[in-house]
Coordinates of all heavy atoms in Angstrom, one line a residue:
L59 N 1.4 5.2 11.8 CA 2.9 5.2 11.7 C 3.5 5.8 13.1 O 3.0 6.6 13.7 CB 3.3 6.3 10.7 CG 2.8 6.2 9.3 CD1 3.2 7.4 8.4 CD2 3.3 4.9 8.5
H60 N 4.6 5.1 13.4 CA 5.4 5.7 14.5 C 6.7 6.1 13.8 O 7.4 5.3 13.3 CB 5.6 4.7 15.6 CG 6.7 5.2 16.6 ND1 6.5 6.2 17.5 CD2 8.0 4.9 16.6 CE1 7.6 6.5 18.1 NE2 8.6 5.8 17.6
L61 N 7.0 7.4 13.8 CA 8.2 7.9 13.2 C 9.1 8.2 14.3 O 8.7 8.9 15.4 CB 7.9 9.2 12.4 CG 7.0 9.0 11.2 CD1 6.8 10.3 10.4 CD2 7.4 7.8 10.4
D62 N 10.4 7.9 14.1 CA 11.5 8.3 15.0 C 12.5 8.9 14.2 O 13.3 8.3 13.4 CB 12.1 7.0 15.7 CG 13.1 7.4 16.8 OD1 13.8 8.4 16.6 OD2 13.2 6.7 17.8
G63 N 12.4 10.3 14.2 CA 13.2 11.1 13.4 C 14.7 11.1 13.6 O 15.6 11.2 12.8
A64 N 15.1 10.8 15.0 CA 16.5 10.7 15.3 C 17.1 9.3 15.0 O 18.2 9.2 14.7 CB 16.6 11.0 16.8
D65 N 16.2 8.3 15.0 CA 16.7 6.9 14.6 C 15.5 6.3 13.8 O 14.7 5.5 14.3 CB 16.9 6.1 15.9 CG 17.5 4.8 15.7 OD1 17.6 4.3 14.5 OD2 17.7 4.0 16.6
P66 N 15.5 6.6 12.5 CA 14.5 5.9 11.6 C 14.4 4.5 11.6 O 13.3 3.9 11.4 CB 15.0 6.3 10.2 CG 15.8 7.5 10.4 CD 16.6 7.3 11.7
S67 N 15.3 3.7 12.1 CA 15.3 2.2 12.2 C 14.3 1.9 13.3 O 13.8 0.7 13.3 CB 16.7 1.6 12.5 OG 17.1 1.9 13.8
R68 N 13.9 2.8 14.1 CA 12.9 2.5 15.2 C 11.5 2.9 14.8 O 10.6 2.9 15.7 CB 13.3 3.2 16.5 CG 14.6 2.6 17.1 CD 15.1 3.3 18.3 NE 14.0 3.6 19.3 CZ 14.2 4.3 20.4 NH1 15.4 4.8 20.6 NH2 13.3 4.5 21.2
S69 N 11.3 3.4 13.6 CA 10.0 3.7 13.0 C 9.2 2.4 12.7 O 9.8 1.5 12.3 CB 10.1 4.6 11.7 OG 10.8 5.8 12.1
T70 N 7.9 2.6 12.7 CA 7.1 1.4 12.4 C 5.7 1.9 11.6 O 5.5 3.1 11.6 CB 6.5 0.7 13.7 OG1 5.8 1.6 14.5 CG2 7.7 0.1 14.6
A71 N 5.2 0.9 10.9 CA 4.0 1.2 10.1 C 3.0 0.0 10.3 O 3.4 -1.1 10.3 CB 4.3 1.4 8.7
S72 N 1.7 0.4 10.3 CA 0.7 -0.7 10.3 C -0.4 -0.2 9.4 O -0.8 1.0 9.4 CB 0.2 -0.7 11.8 OG -0.9 -1.5 11.8
L73 N -1.0 -1.1 8.5 CA -2.0 -0.8 7.6 C -3.0 -2.0 7.5 O -2.7 -3.1 7.5 CB -1.5 -0.5 6.2 CG -2.3 -0.1 5.1 CD1 -3.0 1.3 5.3 CD2 -1.6 -0.1 3.8
D74 N -4.4 -1.5 7.6 CA -5.4 -2.5 7.4 C -6.3 -2.0 6.2 O -6.8 -0.8 6.3 CB -6.2 -2.6 8.7 CG -5.5 -3.1 9.9 OD1 -5.2 -4.3 9.9 OD2 -5.3 -2.4 10.8
V75 N -6.5 -2.9 5.2 CA -7.2 -2.5 4.1 C -8.5 -3.4 4.0 O -8.4 -4.6 4.1 CB -6.4 -2.8 2.8 CG1 -7.2 -2.5 1.5 CG2 -5.1 -1.9 2.9
T76 N -9.6 -2.8 3.8 CA -10.8 -3.6 3.6 C -11.0 -4.0 2.1 O -11.1 -3.1 1.2 CB -12.1 -2.7 3.9 OG1 -12.0 -2.3 5.4 CG2 -13.5 -3.4 3.7
M77 N -10.9 -5.2 1.9 CA -10.8 -5.7 0.5 C -12.1 -5.5 -0.3 O -12.0 -5.4 -1.5 CB -10.5 -7.2 0.5 CG -9.2 -7.6 1.2 SD -7.8 -6.6 0.5 CE -7.5 -7.5 -1.0
D78 N -13.3 -5.3 0.3 CA -14.5 -5.0 -0.5 C -14.4 -3.6 -1.1 O -15.3 -3.2 -1.8 CB -15.7 -5.3 0.4 CG -16.4 -6.5 0.2 OD1 -16.1 -7.2 -0.7 OD2 -17.1 -6.9 1.2
S79 N -13.5 -2.8 -0.6 CA -13.4 -1.4 -1.1 C -12.6 -1.3 -2.3 O -12.2 -0.2 -2.8 CB -12.8 -0.6 0.0 OG -11.4 -0.7 0.1
I80 N -12.2 -2.4 -3.0 CA -11.5 -2.3 -4.3 C -12.2 -1.6 -5.4 O -13.4 -1.7 -5.5 CB -11.1 -3.7 -4.8 CG1 -9.9 -3.7 -5.8 CG2 -12.2 -4.6 -5.3 CD1 -9.2 -5.0 -6.0
D81 N -11.4 -0.7 -6.1 CA -12.1 0.0 -7.1 C -11.1 0.2 -8.3 O -10.0 0.8 -8.2 CB -12.4 1.5 -6.6 CG -13.0 2.4 -7.6 OD1 -13.4 1.9 -8.7 OD2 -13.1 3.6 -7.3
T82 N -11.5 -0.5 -9.5 CA -10.8 -0.4 -10.6 C -11.5 0.5 -11.8 O -10.9 0.5 -12.8 CB -10.4 -1.8 -11.3 OG1 -11.7 -2.4 -11.6 CG2 -9.8 -2.7 -10.2
G83 N -12.6 1.0 -11.4 CA -13.3 1.9 -12.3 C -14.3 1.0 -13.1 O -14.9 1.4 -14.0
S84 N -14.4 -0.3 -12.9 CA -15.2 -1.2 -13.5 C -16.0 -2.1 -12.5 O -15.4 -3.0 -11.9 CB -14.5 -2.1 -14.5 OG -15.3 -3.3 -14.9
P85 N -17.3 -1.9 -12.2 CA -18.0 -2.7 -11.2 C -18.0 -4.2 -11.5 O -17.9 -5.0 -10.6 CB -19.4 -2.2 -11.3 CG -19.3 -0.8 -11.8 CD -18.1 -0.8 -12.8
D86 N -18.1 -4.6 -12.8 CA -17.9 -6.0 -13.1 C -16.6 -6.6 -12.7 O -16.5 -7.7 -12.1 CB -18.3 -6.3 -14.5 CG -19.7 -6.1 -15.0 OD1 -20.5 -6.0 -14.0 OD2 -19.9 -5.9 -16.2
R87 N -15.6 -5.9 -13.1 CA -14.2 -6.3 -12.7 C -14.0 -6.4 -11.2 O -13.4 -7.3 -10.6 CB -13.1 -5.5 -13.3 CG -11.7 -6.0 -13.0 CD -10.6 -5.2 -13.8 NE -10.9 -3.9 -13.9 CZ -10.8 -3.1 -15.0 NH1 -10.5 -3.8 -16.2 NH2 -11.0 -1.9 -15.1
D88 N -14.6 -5.3 -10.5 CA -14.4 -5.3 -9.0 C -15.2 -6.5 -8.4 O -14.6 -7.0 -7.4 CB -15.0 -4.0 -8.4 CG -14.1 -2.7 -9.0 OD1 -13.1 -2.9 -9.4 OD2 -14.7 -1.6 -8.8
G89 N -16.3 -6.8 -8.9 CA -17.1 -8.0 -8.4 C -16.3 -9.2 -8.6 O -16.2 -10.1 -7.7

Side-chain angles (χ1 to χ4, degrees):
L59 307 173
H60 167 76
L61 300 182
D62 189 322
D65 184 359
S67 71
R68 293 176 46 185
S69 296
T70 60
S72 174
L73 181 67
D74 294 292
V75 176
T76 302
M77 299 307 283
D78 262 342
S79 73
I80 195 165
D81 179 11
T82 65
S84 167
D86 288 343
R87 181 173 41 231
D88 295 346

